Amino acid sequence: MDEIKEGIKYLFQTQNPATMCISGSGHAGMEAAMCNLLEDGDVVLMGVTGLWGNRAGDIAQRYGADVHYVRARCGYALSFEDIREAFQTYNPKVFFIAQGDSSTGVLQSFISDIGDLCRRFNCLLVVDIVASLGSAEFLMDEWKVDVAYTGSQKVLCGPAGITPISFNQRALNKIKARQSKVKSYYFDITLLGQFWGCFGTSRIYHHTVSSTLLYGLREAIAIVCQQGLKNMIRRHIECSYRLQKGIENMGMEMFVPEPNHRMSSINVIKIPNGVDWRKVSQYAMNKYFLEIAGGLGPTVDQVFRIGLLGENATEEKVDLVLTILREAIQNTSGITLNERSKI
Amino acid sequence: MDEIKEGIKYLFQTQNPATMCISGSGHAGMEAAMCNLLEDGDVVLMGVTGLWGNRAGDIAQRYGADVHYVRARCGYALSFEDIREAFQTYNPKVFFIAQGDSSTGVLQSFISDIGDLCRRFNCLLVVDIVASLGSAEFLMDEWKVDVAYTGSQKVLCGPAGITPISFNQRALNKIKARQSKVKSYYFDITLLGQFWGCFGTSRIYHHTVSSTLLYGLREAIAIVCQQGLKNMIRRHIECSYRLQKGIENMGMEMFVPEPNHRMSSINVIKIPNGVDWRKVSQYAMNKYFLEIAGGLGPTVDQVFRIGLLGENATEEKVDLVLTILREAIQNTSGITLNERSKI
């Protein structure tokens, strides 16, 4: 467990002692962030660039918070101006944003500026890095992010079911100052942090952690450490560029118009006219055991989503998925794609 | 997932369609039971035979319930009379009891009578079978239990981190009639049941379940099915009798005076005068890699706890642990145990 904590600190680029894992999926990480920080009536602002800001809003509302939203146009990142105005309108105690929204493929940039804004408004910044960590730069401490959590089974390629999370001192101070107990026992970070030995006190028994998942996650983190975080991020970005170039060469279009706002791990592609994505997806799965996903949330029936995460972020895999995507589209729709798409 | 559901129905002896798993530890199962059934101000009564009734009370209180307790003397089961009186005093909407409390080793009997009592008081019955399922008879439907959950890593010997749980129609009716949303998204049984395909509707995406844990649990359940549940229970009871006899032959005493109220999976033994349990436990671990646990909650520093769960419930293992316990006590305390303890 201590080795895992050190590994997460490296991945998140943080020195936070309160760095640990939630024994649950990424959704559990989101819920842990919300339910520890929020009390009844607390004003929280959700940055929405796809599905995840809405989900965080649903969770915060369940826990009694006063939830507001600032929404980007679908396929676009939020502008700093939009966020600043929403801060002035709502004066939130907590602001949530997903660095990468896996439903739209939008990568939210200038998180560092949002960190500064949060400090000026005495607001806590929660960043969901479930699908982005390891495929885009993320500097928790330097960017003044107060809470962050990631997925074990995304870029890290570990087993699902265990979720790295980190709270800085500002976040812990808000938790210490709570008037009411955290409503969830299972996600109570003050107890969980004692279980994980984060606070320098002797460990307590909080719940039975899955040793199966711990060993899997430890190994996944070790593999990233061997590669080096910067190399891993560069590899993901290069592979995504290669995929995007191949897609555009076929005459198709990325869903996110602004190249700098595209995630490298989840690549979202507009479905060309006349193409039935379900047939394409089934063709690829049946013939090649290759998963080309459809849309999620706001992008259902509008896009293909191609994951290049961890082991799948290699030139060979990119070329393979492009070849299969071309074959699947041509065989299921009869459409002939651009000649220059040959790769 | 469908096979796992069928397996759980067999293990719980239930036909409930709302039978599924929580993606978390046994504590998460307890929290899911509480937070789905309870709304702010609901009166809940906790039967306490050790640690777990208090823990359930802490969780219910966090979720806003009006929590009351009926407590057994430490090492004893609750009497039906005590429970009935508490029902008359508090008129609870939900009653909680652990079939087996792993901190004291107490097995609560006459759950069927408690089921009848709950129906008379229009109260829901939640039974924690985390540490008892597979080592004692449990008939969810026949005994009129409304919600039950068990541990994957106890008698089932599966991986920790995934928790079988079942809700009957009465429990679902209370959930449907809620005035407020369940505070937890992650534990919301209405969403989770759709994810698990329990309600005859098409499956929704609720969270990413750990396939690693699903396959492990499926295999653990398959092994129980091969043995047969009755055979498994009989084996646990026989092994516990053998252990108890060996303990008494050494001149030691079981913590639970009434033999019919002893769990067979967790065997709790009073520490004899002059014996340092930590030294005994360390001796067994260092020399034999055998775990003899100390107390938990109300029994800390008072007892040894010996788990005979699943693969460890065999005559050979019982004889081994008796031999090692004798050796460990004699070597760490100098006390000579009764001659007749030779086995």
Side-chain angles (χ1 to χ4, degrees), chain A residues 271-283:
Chain A
I271 300 170
N273 283 335
V275 172
D276 182 335
W277 78 265
R278 276 191 186 80
K279 284 185 187 161
V280 172
S281 184
Q282 277 160 13
Y283 182 98

Side-chain angles (χ1 to χ4, degrees), chain A residues 107-156:
Chain A
L107 184 79
Q108 183 66 48
S109 46
F110 58 81
I111 289 176
S112 167
D113 295 335
I114 303 174
D116 288 331
L117 183 73
C118 284
R119 295 286 162 113
R120 286 205 300 280
F121 278 80
N122 196 24
C123 171
L124 293 170
L125 175 58
V126 177
V127 181
D128 178 315
I129 51 173
V130 168
S132 61
L133 183 75
S135 73
E137 187 180 48
F138 181 73
L139 306 173
M140 183 166 189
D141 290 355
E142 196 178 316
W143 293 355
K144 304 190 180 76
V145 175
D146 299 299
V147 180
Y149 55 91
T150 194
S152 51
Q153 85 285 9
K154 301 286 186 184
V155 174
L156 296 181

Side-chain angles (χ1 to χ4, degrees), chain A residues 24-25 27 31 55 58-59 62-63 153 160 181-186 188 191 205-208 210, chain B residues 24-25 27 31 55 58-59 62-63 153 160 181-188 191 205-208 210:
Chain A
S25 79
H27 267 102
E31 186 156 330
R55 181 57 48 77
D58 174 27
I59 291 172
R62 286 166 179 264
Y63 279 99
Q153 85 285 9
K181 263 192 185 179
V182 175
K183 283 169 186 162
S184 170
Y185 166 90
Y186 194 63
D188 185 322
L191 297 176
Y205 164 57
H206 172 258
H207 73 285
T208 302
S210 171
Chain B
S25 79
H27 267 102
E31 185 156 331
R55 181 57 48 78
D58 174 27
I59 291 173
R62 286 167 180 262
Y63 279 99
Q153 84 286 10
K181 264 193 182 178
V182 175
K183 284 171 186 159
S184 171
Y185 166 90
Y186 195 64
F187 300 132
D188 186 319
L191 297 177
Y205 164 57
H206 173 258
H207 73 285
T208 302
S210 170

Side-chain angles (χ1 to χ4, degrees), chain B residues 2 17 137 175 212 227 229 302 317:
Chain B
D2 286 340
E137 188 180 47
I175 294 168
T212 311
Q227 296 174 36
L229 187 55
Q302 295 181 51
K317 297 280 176 68

Side-chain angles (χ1 to χ4, degrees), chain B residues 178-333:
Chain B
R178 290 180 66 98
Q179 302 290 310
S180 61
K181 264 193 182 178
V182 175
K183 284 171 186 159
S184 171
Y185 166 90
Y186 195 64
F187 300 132
D188 186 319
I189 229 64
T190 310
L191 297 177
L192 198 62
Q194 290 176 69
F195 175 65
W196 276 83
C198 294
F199 304 131
T201 53
S202 61
R203 286 173 194 265
I204 62 163
Y205 164 57
H206 173 258
H207 73 285
T208 302
V209 72
S210 170
S211 48
T212 311
L213 299 183
L214 282 183
Y215 281 100
L217 177 61
R218 189 203 167 284
E219 185 60 20
I221 292 173
I223 291 169
V224 178
C225 292
Q226 277 182 321
Q227 296 174 36
L229 187 55
K230 279 191 180 170
N231 292 332
M232 189 168 176
I233 293 169
R234 190 187 312 119
R235 176 164 60 82
H236 278 81
I237 292 172
E238 285 171 1
C239 284
S240 180
Y241 281 159
R242 189 178 180 93
L243 183 79
Q244 291 174 39
K245 197 161 167 261
I247 290 296
E248 282 158 8
N249 282 345
M250 280 194 233
M252 293 198 285
E253 225 179 308
M254 298 303 289
F255 184 71
V256 177
E258 169 58 58
N260 289 331
H261 293 166
R262 292 176 191 159
M263 296 174 71
S264 65
S265 51
I266 313 283
N267 295 271
V268 181
I269 300 150
K270 287 189 192 171
I271 300 169
N273 284 334
V275 172
D276 181 335
W277 77 265
R278 274 190 188 80
K279 283 186 186 161
V280 172
S281 184
Q282 279 160 12
Y283 182 97
M285 180 56 77
N286 293 342
K287 188 159 175 191
Y288 297 104
F289 286 109
L290 179 93
E291 186 174 13
I292 296 175
L296 178 68
T299 59
V300 164
D301 290 340
Q302 295 181 51
V303 299
F304 295 117
R305 295 186 307 145
I306 294 175
L308 299 175
L309 302 104
E311 296 299 307
N312 282 324
T314 66
E315 287 190 4
E316 296 69 26
K317 297 280 176 68
V318 170
D319 293 350
L320 182 71
V321 72
L322 285 168
T323 304
I324 292 174
L325 180 63
R326 156 190 286 275
E327 183 186 316
I329 290 176
Q330 296 195 157
N331 274 275
T332 59
S333 69

